[in-house]
Amino acid sequence: MLLYRVTRGALLFVFRLLAGLPWYQVLPGVLIFYLGSGGWRFLEIFAMTIGRDLHAAYVLLRVKMNVKRHVREKNTIPKIFAETVQRHGDKTALIFEGTGERWTFHQLDEYSNRVANLLLDRGFKEGDVVAIFMENRSEYVGLWLGMAKIGVEAALINFNLRLESLVHCVTISNSKAVIFGSELIDAVSEVHSSMGKAVQMFCSGDWDPKRVPQGTECLEPLLAKHLSYLCFTVADRLFYIYTSGTTGMPKAAIVVHSRYYRMAALVYYGFRMTSDDTLYDCLPLYHSAGNIVGVGQCIIHGMTVVIRKKFSASRFWDDCAKYNCTIVQYIGEICRYLLNQPVRDAEQQHQVRMALGNGLRQSIWEEFMNRFNIPQIAEFYGATECNCSLGNFGNKVGACGFNSQILPFVYPIRLVRVDEETLELIRGPDGVCIPCKPGEPGQLVGKIIQNDPLRRFDGYVNQSATTKKIAHSVFKKGDSAYLSGDVLIMDKYGHMYFKDRTGDTFRWKGENVSTTEVEGTLSRLLDMKDVVVYGVEVPGAEGKAGMAAIADPSRSTNLEKFVKDMEKVLPPYARPVFLRCLPEVDKTVCVQVSRTSTPHTLLHTHTHTKANSHPRIFYSQTDSVLLNLFVLNLHVALVHPPPPSLPQSRQEAQTP
């Protein structure tokens, strides 16, 4: 529309010149015509966004040129890190909060060299895969960095996984070895027999030969025997990060060296970080937010990064003050947990100037900034494998990023219309997807250009999973685009706001939960009964809690046993918080409700069930014991329904 108006103005300009009118008559006439036809809106947008857009264009150009140079010179992440070591050798690179141990860049380099030499000595070569299964610590970084130096690819496995999901992640990546933390000995022992004798096992941490699986070796003495210098190998793939995706088991997303650099550099330059900053990283290192966006600032830009084993709301600001942190990482859940803490002096006694992350709700955005005295919220959007990352470079409240309305083609991403019922792409008569107007929700897509380092899509180890994330004829006939699976809304200035996640997935406790994976697991535990899993909103909580609807007409399910079995096979974030025992499960109805008419609160989630099914849902305010309390209460309620009055400690909802 804007281009149309500009064209009309240009034609009028030419016409008046041909008519022989003087300039002082032509120019005012054209301006009046342009403004009268709505051109003032473009001028308003231009004035409000030109500074933001110029900064973003500079960042994109700089990162793109850097990536191209690194690709041309065959600079891998280890080679870039070697340059960082030369600049900052004796500076502190990593601080592990758990022990207070500090590693300089030289020490991190030497540790990673020992890892590389050990693997070379054991016969590992370029293209081999080694799984890392441990909680956060400095060694985690040294392990994958050492592997990358010789072209061995690391598979970064979620330390919450157990049994079938754990075995799946090891086998799908074809890992020839597993390096696990001693804190996870029990989890590894449960599945050791399923991994095969060919998989080598190394344990890092406290060594107990009586507890580790047979054939496991202690890592630390092996590393001490190997040299601390090394020559690099050039390889394309860096490591694999597992995403919950939208269906099935976790998918291994491919992270190549150029992608790692791009993700870390975009936030570094976009949010104006410096190598003098100290970043507080309490996010898991098996995810891209913690390992690339966070640790990447250390590896590439020489920033000191403080690694915490796990997030602690009560110790968060004490740690920031203790280590003089200037940047903190977050996900939306962390911000709410911090706001729920009692007010303390420590939350104002820090030097934090920026909070970097994603998922901060607009409803608590300004409260978070004001209470903790943080000048800048560096909110961004981006999945590990996506090519349509966004950044809120202008500190716009509630926005996860933007796209230029002046020159939208510079960064070819778009919101396109989707069917509210099926969530399929809506196309016009020409077969091309229909772009959304400002204020209209749509799925975020990014144009794929494989020879462009900012536009390429590397996909997953599983080719069919890769294919499902690609659509054709999206921007124009015959092109290809990445499907984010997320619904966003854009305002007239190009600011984008996260709305919802499409597909069979929801987010809980900072993790994506695949409903298909959970349904399959629960059904097997229940002797193949019909199960439907979906997410429901819970007041005062981030994301959506899992609800499982189970077909149990005879009320024969042993719920206590079911919970114990579920704790063994599902990580905490994937376990349903609520259960519904129904005579039958209408999968079509349940899925439709969970996707297209998700309730604002939990109390409205069961209005679609049959009147004679009488399911009861219990909600405990104590999240840590929520499921156990629910199961015990439900088991009694099925036999002895509670009276209409509700105790203060529990909410109950019953279908009329």
Side-chain angles (χ1 to χ4, degrees):
M1 183 61 71
L2 292 176
L3 180 61
Y4 175 63
R5 290 179 181 136
V6 171
T7 302
R8 286 193 302 174
L11 290 174
L12 181 63
F13 180 76
V14 173
F15 173 77
R16 299 216 173 186
L17 280 180
L18 293 175
L21 295 176
W23 282 96
Y24 66 85
Q25 291 182 358
V26 172
L27 293 179
V30 171
L31 180 61
I32 292 172
F33 179 84
Y34 178 68
L35 295 177
S37 62
W40 63 270
R41 295 188 182 91
F42 176 77
L43 294 180
E44 178 197 9
I45 293 172
F46 183 90
M48 295 293 292
T49 64
I50 183 62
R52 177 200 69 182
D53 291 1
L54 287 176
H55 171 65
Y58 163 77
V59 171
L60 285 172
L61 180 61
R62 181 168 186 174
V63 173
K64 187 171 184 176
M65 296 303 293
N66 285 350
V67 172
K68 285 190 172 183
R69 175 176 63 84
H70 289 312
V71 171
R72 183 175 63 253
E73 298 175 358
K74 297 183 178 180
N75 290 334
T76 60
I77 292 301
K79 283 190 175 182
I80 296 173
F81 175 68
E83 297 174 359
T84 305
V85 174
Q86 290 180 347
R87 296 193 307 269
H88 304 284
D90 294 326
K91 178 183 175 182
T92 300
L94 300 174
I95 302 173
F96 180 48
E97 178 278 334
T99 61
E101 184 179 15
R102 295 170 180 257
W103 283 11
T104 66
F105 283 91
H106 277 309
Q107 289 173 317
L108 177 57
D109 187 42
E110 291 173 355
Y111 180 90
S112 61
N113 286 342
R114 293 183 189 276
V115 172
N117 284 315
L118 168 61
L119 295 178
L120 284 174
D121 186 54
R122 292 301 180 93
F124 289 89
K125 60 184 184 302
E126 179 182 342
D128 288 341
V129 180
V130 175
I132 301 177
F133 184 57
M134 62 174 60
E135 295 179 348
N136 286 8
R137 63 188 74 170
S138 299
E139 287 83 358
Y140 196 112
V141 180
L143 286 169
W144 71 253
L145 183 60
M147 295 176 194
K149 289 183 175 183
I150 59 172
V152 171
E153 301 157 12
L156 311 182
I157 299 181
N158 185 331
F159 55 69
N160 292 296
L161 298 183
R162 297 294 184 270
L163 297 177
E164 184 181 0
S165 296
L166 175 55
V167 174
H168 168 81
C169 289
V170 174
T171 55
I172 195 176
S173 61
N174 295 316
S175 295
K176 293 187 175 182
V178 177
I179 300 177
F180 62 93
S182 57
E183 70 278 7
L184 298 172
I185 287 178
D186 292 341
V188 174
S189 298
E190 288 178 335
V191 300
H192 180 242
S193 60
S194 302
M195 291 185 183
K197 296 181 179 179
V199 178
Q200 300 183 47
M201 308 294 290
F202 301 93
C203 180
S204 174
D206 297 333
W207 176 250
D208 185 350
K210 297 180 180 179
R211 295 183 60 220
V212 298
Q214 185 177 3
T216 301
E217 299 179 79
C218 184
L219 182 65
E220 280 69 28
L222 296 177
L223 293 177
K225 297 177 182 178
H226 286 81
L227 300 175
S228 60
Y229 61 86
L230 179 78
C231 294
F232 300 140
T233 297
V234 176
D236 185 39
R237 294 186 181 184
L238 180 57
F239 52 57
Y240 304 101
I241 288 181
Y242 292 85
T243 68
S244 295
T246 55
T247 59
M249 286 287 193
K251 298 181 294 187
I254 300 169
V255 178
V256 298
H257 293 261
S258 60
R259 175 171 291 274
Y260 188 99
Y261 177 86
R262 186 196 80 189
M263 293 178 68
L266 282 174
V267 297
Y268 181 83
Y269 295 115
F271 293 116
R272 296 181 172 90
M273 302 178 183
T274 74
S275 60
D276 294 327
D277 280 314
T278 298
L279 186 145
Y280 184 69
D281 188 351
C282 59
L283 304 182
L285 297 183
Y286 57 75
H287 275 335
S288 56
N291 206 342
I292 303 179
V293 176
V295 171
Q297 310 312 327
C298 166
I299 301 296
I300 295 173
H301 300 115
M303 192 184 299
T304 298
V305 172
V306 179
I307 296 176
R308 204 182 204 286
K309 184 177 180 180
K310 290 183 179 180
F311 164 72
S312 170
S314 61
R315 295 293 305 169
F316 189 91
W317 298 114
D318 294 316
D319 289 344
C320 291
K322 179 179 180 179
Y323 298 111
N324 298 316
C325 298
T326 56
I327 301 174
V328 296
Q329 282 193 274
Y330 71 85
I331 54 176
E333 291 85 347
I334 284 179
C335 299
R336 191 177 292 277
Y337 292 150
L338 292 174
L339 286 172
N340 286 339
Q341 288 289 301
V343 177
R344 303 169 59 235
D345 292 338
E347 64 190 43
Q348 293 287 333
Q349 298 172 350
H350 58 76
Q351 302 177 39
V352 175
R353 67 178 184 85
M354 180 193 304
L356 171 69
N358 51 54
L360 179 56
R361 293 289 183 93
Q362 187 170 357
S363 59
I364 62 172
W365 188 295
E366 292 180 299
E367 181 185 0
F368 184 81
M369 291 181 66
N370 296 333
R371 173 173 166 179
F372 302 121
N373 192 29
I374 299 178
Q376 181 181 2
I377 301 296
E379 176 86 4
F380 65 88
Y381 168 90
T384 301
E385 68 276 26
C386 83
N387 70 342
C388 48
S389 301
L390 304 171
N392 182 357
F393 298 156
N395 210 15
K396 174 68 175 178
V397 174
C400 62
F402 70 94
N403 195 30
S404 173
Q405 297 300 284
I406 302 173
L407 299 171
F409 56 84
V410 172
Y411 191 55
I413 65 172
R414 180 177 290 177
L415 299 183
V416 295
R417 293 183 185 178
V418 292
D419 185 280
E420 292 186 1
E421 296 292 333
T422 65
L423 302 175
E424 294 182 357
L425 300 174
I426 298 177
R427 299 178 182 273
D430 58 355
V432 177
C433 293
I434 302 175
C436 295
K437 299 176 182 179
E440 183 179 10
Q443 182 175 179
L444 178 65
V445 297
K447 189 173 184 178
I448 297 175
I449 306 174
Q450 286 300 110
N451 60 357
D452 185 333
L454 300 186
R455 310 300 325 143
R456 64 182 286 181
F457 173 54
D458 300 299
Y460 311 93
V461 172
N462 186 303
Q463 186 56 43
S464 64
T466 301
T467 303
K468 291 178 181 178
K469 297 293 287 186
I470 300 175
H472 301 285
S473 298
V474 176
F475 291 79
K476 64 179 182 180
K477 200 72 174 177
D479 66 4
S480 298
Y482 166 82
L483 301 174
S484 70
D486 290 329
V487 176
L488 283 70
I489 295 178
M490 182 179 69
D491 66 18
K492 66 178 181 179
Y493 300 111
H495 296 117
M496 294 197 183
Y497 306 83
F498 184 86
K499 184 177 186 293
D500 202 358
R501 175 153 288 145
T502 66
D504 299 330
T505 183
F506 59 89
R507 191 167 180 84
W508 183 246
K509 293 187 179 298
E511 300 278 358
N512 292 332
V513 180
S514 167
T515 59
T516 304
E517 178 184 351
V518 178
E519 285 171 357
T521 300
L522 298 186
S523 182
R524 285 190 292 273
L525 293 179
L526 296 168
D527 298 324
M528 305 311 293
K529 291 180 179 178
D530 285 338
V531 178
V532 170
V533 174
Y534 51 99
V536 294
E537 294 184 7
V538 178
E542 293 290 335
K544 295 180 180 179
M547 178 177 286
I550 301 170
D552 186 20
S554 62
R555 305 291 175 94
S556 61
T557 301
N558 184 328
L559 296 177
E560 286 86 352
K561 180 179 182 300
F562 173 60
V563 170
K564 292 179 181 178
D565 292 341
M566 186 167 56
E567 289 176 345
K568 296 178 181 179
V569 297
L570 288 176
Y573 61 84
R575 298 169 193 161
V577 177
F578 305 103
L579 299 179
R580 305 176 63 190
C581 294
L582 307 173
E584 62 180 358
V585 172
D586 185 340
K587 292 192 174 186
T588 302
V589 174
C590 287
V591 172
Q592 181 182 6
V593 169
S594 67
R595 285 178 174 176
T596 63
S597 58
T598 303
H600 294 292
T601 65
L602 177 65
L603 297 180
H604 297 128
T605 60
H606 49 277
T607 56
H608 66 286
T609 56
K610 298 180 179 180
N612 60 356
S613 59
H614 300 295
R616 290 185 172 85
I617 303 170
F618 293 88
Y619 172 54
S620 165
Q621 301 294 340
T622 308
D623 187 65
S624 61
V625 294
L626 181 58
L627 185 55
N628 287 327
L629 283 178
F630 159 71
V631 169
L632 292 176
N633 288 328
L634 179 61
H635 189 66
V636 173
L638 293 176
V639 181
H640 304 289
S645 60
L646 297 177
Q648 294 297 317
S649 61
R650 190 177 72 220
Q651 297 176 8
E652 175 192 324
Q654 180 174 350
T655 301

